[in-house]
Amino acid sequence: MYVTTFLRYIRLGGRCVSARMVQRRNLSGADAINALRPFYFAVHPDFFGQHPREREVNENSLKRLSGYLENLQKPGARSPKPANLTFYVRDTKEKADSSGRLLASGFRSVTFTLQSKDVLSTVLDVLRSCSLSVEHIQDVLKAETEKSSTQQPGTAFYRPIKWDKTYYTFTGFRDPEQELEQARRVEPTLSLWLRNNESEATKKQNASLPRREELKRLKRELIQKLGLLDIRWQRKWGVAHKCCQLQSLGRLSTQSPEALHILRGHVIVFTDQSGMNASGHVMLGTMDVHHQWTKLFERLLSYRSLFQRSDWLKERISHLLGGIQVIHIERMGPALPLEEHYSTLHTFHKRLLPQRLSLHPRSMQGLTMSLENDRSTPCLHEMGHFIIPTLCDTLQLQNFLQSQAQEARKRMRRKDKLEAEEEDIILCCLQDLSLHSLSKEPSVSSSQMIPCCRRLMEERSPQMQGLHLYISHFYSVMQDGDLCIPWDWKG
């Protein structure tokens, strides 16, 4: 449960706060997970794929730690019995800590006993026993104390979180501190930046070649073995992390083949939490352990049923709104769980039912709309799809759809033209510059990607030959040698 809650906490960008605020200098469940983040990255079983015994020890100890913390959070519960735990801790620093027994394999064995009576003391004991820093906990407590002293009763408050650097490496999120530092510097020209970074990118790319081949092999074999349609990743994780995730799934398919038969015909997406997303793809949480994945597979039939009911609601909404198609726009960041998507569709459908909208049955055919819970007024996106609030006034909705239908069709035609042009120019750019690959961040639009590729072909820098180029909003050499450049780079 604590690992699952940790993922939910990440999905909210680290800004959510538990309903139980820090009281008497104790930690809430969310605060405990935030404080234990460096610990989770140091002991998570998926990092011990080549060491099955140590992996099993960590998996069992994590379950016991989770239960211990849960008992401390239960109102009126008795103090849990002392728990003797053993973990194998990865060395995440350049040099190993002097404390603890560092093994030749790059991790050390740590054994300690939990007997604290509150969450804060337990978290401190865990971190100190593993020789991990506790300074960030003091920052959390200090921020909470300052806020609670000035906070009006019943009002929410905001507390910035300073994330551990390993969090960004593991999750694929970008480090805002690093981006801020990059923004403060004077942005170089593309040619200067390539001269300074091409050798590093080439070195990293060459070093990653065996891992890239291993990733292709693992993905191909798992798709064939499990009868999958595809395997995808929600974030731009490094190749090593992707291999680790596939190896974990491969071990589970060997240990419990009968549990994975139900995956046949599905798309698997490695992401922040386990479940099914709004598109009907099976999500495997990268921080979850095997028993949590197995529980998901056991619930997959009920998820399929919920997905079918979601499709039925979309059909009913389309019928009531003149044939418009309800879609879900995949964005960067956390995937939308199917439960939330169904709840949104159900709420919107209930609001439409009592109304008698005077939309012609086929007047909105060929158009698309998405639903959003945090919007108050409808709008038309530049790419031609309507964005509709879940609790939108139905009369206002009807008038808006009718008045903007022609403009929506115009924008959709423009979008189709831009996407076709983008596809063509990416192929030309790949060939002209002899790139190994060319891709972009989802937040880079077609209207941004097209001029970027044109300018790259005009620049024709020989330093990009044979490299993987990734168009984004900043300069960076990724851990596997991918060159990341802003779409609006300076010449």
Side-chain angles (χ1 to χ4, degrees):
M1 179 227 181
Y2 264 74
V3 174
T4 305
T5 309
F6 174 45
L7 296 175
R8 291 174 183 158
Y9 188 65
I10 288 175
R11 287 182 59 245
L12 297 177
R15 293 191 295 271
C16 70
V17 178
S18 173
R20 288 182 289 239
M21 297 181 184
V22 176
Q23 297 177 353
R24 294 189 296 276
R25 294 184 62 78
N26 201 359
L27 294 180
S28 67
D31 292 322
I33 293 160
N34 178 42
L36 284 172
R37 185 176 293 106
F39 166 75
Y40 285 130
F41 290 133
V43 304
H44 194 275
D46 280 356
F47 286 110
F48 293 81
Q50 304 301 318
H51 307 278
R53 187 179 71 85
E54 289 81 0
R55 175 188 176 85
E56 184 177 1
V57 169
N58 279 12
E59 188 163 348
N60 291 332
S61 294
L62 276 174
K63 292 178 187 177
R64 296 180 63 197
L65 173 60
S66 176
Y68 192 94
L69 289 169
E70 283 183 41
N71 285 334
L72 290 176
Q73 287 287 297
K74 291 178 181 177
R78 294 181 178 179
S79 297
K81 295 180 180 179
N84 190 45
L85 302 180
T86 296
F87 285 101
Y88 288 92
V89 183
R90 294 187 307 121
D91 177 41
T92 57
K93 302 176 182 177
E94 292 184 3
K95 294 184 178 180
D97 294 307
S98 57
S99 60
R101 183 166 56 91
L102 185 63
L103 305 179
S105 50
F107 49 81
R108 50 195 166 83
S109 172
V110 176
T111 300
F112 54 90
T113 301
L114 292 180
Q115 48 191 1
S116 305
K117 307 304 181 186
D118 60 80
V119 176
L120 172 58
S121 300
T122 302
V123 168
L124 289 171
D125 287 346
V126 170
L127 294 173
R128 286 169 178 161
S129 298
C130 296
S131 301
L132 298 172
S133 173
V134 297
E135 292 181 4
H136 59 295
I137 298 182
Q138 303 303 324
D139 294 338
V140 169
L141 290 174
K142 182 180 178 182
E144 291 291 355
T145 303
E146 291 174 353
K147 281 289 183 180
S148 60
S149 63
T150 58
Q151 191 72 22
Q152 295 297 323
T155 60
F157 65 92
Y158 171 78
R159 180 190 74 247
I161 299 295
K162 185 178 178 66
W163 301 85
D164 188 90
K165 295 297 181 184
T166 54
Y167 163 72
Y168 299 105
T169 301
F170 189 80
T171 61
F173 285 115
R174 298 200 302 270
D175 184 348
E177 289 186 4
Q178 182 182 355
E179 289 192 344
L180 182 59
E181 180 62 27
Q182 290 171 341
R184 285 173 178 162
R185 301 171 187 163
V186 177
E187 185 175 311
T189 62
L190 177 63
S191 57
L192 176 61
W193 187 84
L194 287 173
R195 281 199 300 272
N196 293 335
N197 293 275
E198 182 269 336
S199 60
E200 179 190 359
T202 301
K203 182 179 178 181
K204 287 184 174 181
Q205 178 174 302
N206 290 338
S208 73
L209 290 177
R211 293 194 299 271
R212 292 179 188 269
E213 290 303 315
E214 175 73 357
L215 179 63
K216 290 179 183 178
R217 182 188 66 80
L218 288 170
K219 181 178 178 180
R220 181 178 62 251
E221 290 178 357
L222 276 173
I223 287 176
Q224 183 177 2
K225 180 179 181 180
L226 302 179
L228 303 173
L229 296 180
D230 197 9
I231 297 176
R232 303 170 187 172
W233 285 266
Q234 179 72 16
R235 312 212 176 283
K236 193 172 174 60
W237 278 290
V239 176
H241 283 128
K242 290 181 178 180
C243 285
C244 180
Q245 292 153 9
L246 292 183
Q247 288 165 353
S248 181
L249 181 60
R251 282 191 299 272
L252 180 59
S253 69
T254 301
Q255 296 165 2
S256 307
E258 68 286 346
L260 277 71
H261 286 160
I262 198 167
L263 291 175
R264 185 169 297 276
H266 278 282
V267 173
I268 282 182
V269 182
F270 287 98
T271 183
D272 297 332
Q273 62 174 335
S274 295
M276 181 175 281
N277 67 13
S279 301
H281 303 330
V282 178
M283 302 188 297
L284 297 183
T286 58
M287 289 295 293
D288 289 346
V289 289
H290 280 173
H291 81 278
Q292 291 166 307
W293 287 359
T294 304
K295 286 182 179 178
L296 164 65
F297 302 151
E298 292 171 356
R299 299 195 304 269
L300 211 51
L301 286 177
S302 62
Y303 272 118
R304 287 176 179 173
S305 175
L306 186 62
F307 184 70
Q308 290 173 350
R309 297 203 299 273
S310 297
D311 277 351
W312 181 84
L313 284 173
K314 289 178 182 179
E315 292 176 4
R316 296 306 305 157
I317 292 170
S318 175
H319 177 75
L320 293 170
L321 293 180
I324 194 169
Q325 182 184 1
V326 182
I327 61 172
H328 168 62
I329 307 295
E330 293 286 351
R331 295 185 175 89
M332 286 189 68
L336 178 65
L338 179 60
E339 299 93 330
E340 293 182 25
H341 186 51
Y342 175 82
S343 176
T344 299
L345 291 169
H346 182 68
T347 300
F348 185 72
H349 182 244
K350 281 180 65 176
R351 289 182 66 85
L352 288 180
L353 276 179
Q355 309 300 321
R356 292 182 175 272
L357 301 182
S358 55
L359 285 166
H360 188 277
R362 291 182 296 276
S363 61
M364 304 298 293
Q365 206 157 17
L367 298 178
T368 58
M369 61 169 276
S370 63
L371 292 170
E372 289 193 3
N373 291 322
D374 55 356
R375 182 175 291 275
S376 58
T377 56
C379 74
L380 178 61
H381 192 272
E382 63 174 345
M383 292 292 101
H385 63 270
F386 290 97
I387 303 175
I388 307 300
T390 307
L391 301 179
C392 182
D393 176 78
T394 51
L395 181 59
Q396 179 191 21
L397 173 62
Q398 175 180 305
N399 294 335
F400 184 77
L401 292 176
Q402 289 176 327
S403 64
Q404 296 295 317
Q406 186 175 352
E407 178 63 23
R409 296 184 192 280
K410 178 181 176 182
R411 294 187 185 186
M412 287 186 71
R413 288 193 295 269
R414 179 176 179 271
K415 180 198 75 167
D416 293 341
K417 182 180 178 182
L418 280 173
E419 288 179 348
E421 184 179 354
E422 179 186 29
E423 185 177 345
D424 290 340
I425 202 165
I426 285 177
L427 289 174
C428 291
C429 205
L430 269 169
Q431 296 171 358
D432 286 5
L433 301 181
S434 301
L435 297 172
H436 195 287
S437 69
L438 175 59
S439 56
K440 68 170 186 174
E441 189 173 289
S443 61
V444 176
S445 66
S446 299
S447 57
Q448 293 170 333
M449 187 67 172
I450 291 170
C452 174
C453 290
R454 286 192 184 129
R455 294 176 63 221
L456 285 173
M457 288 191 290
E458 292 170 1
E459 185 85 0
R460 301 189 68 83
S461 173
Q463 291 154 321
M464 289 189 289
Q465 290 183 8
L467 293 177
H468 297 266
L469 190 61
Y470 187 68
I471 309 301
S472 181
H473 300 277
F474 58 93
Y475 285 106
S476 180
V477 177
M478 310 300 277
Q479 63 192 82
D480 295 305
D482 294 18
L483 278 178
C484 187
I485 68 170
W487 67 271
D488 56 349
W489 51 270
K490 294 179 181 179

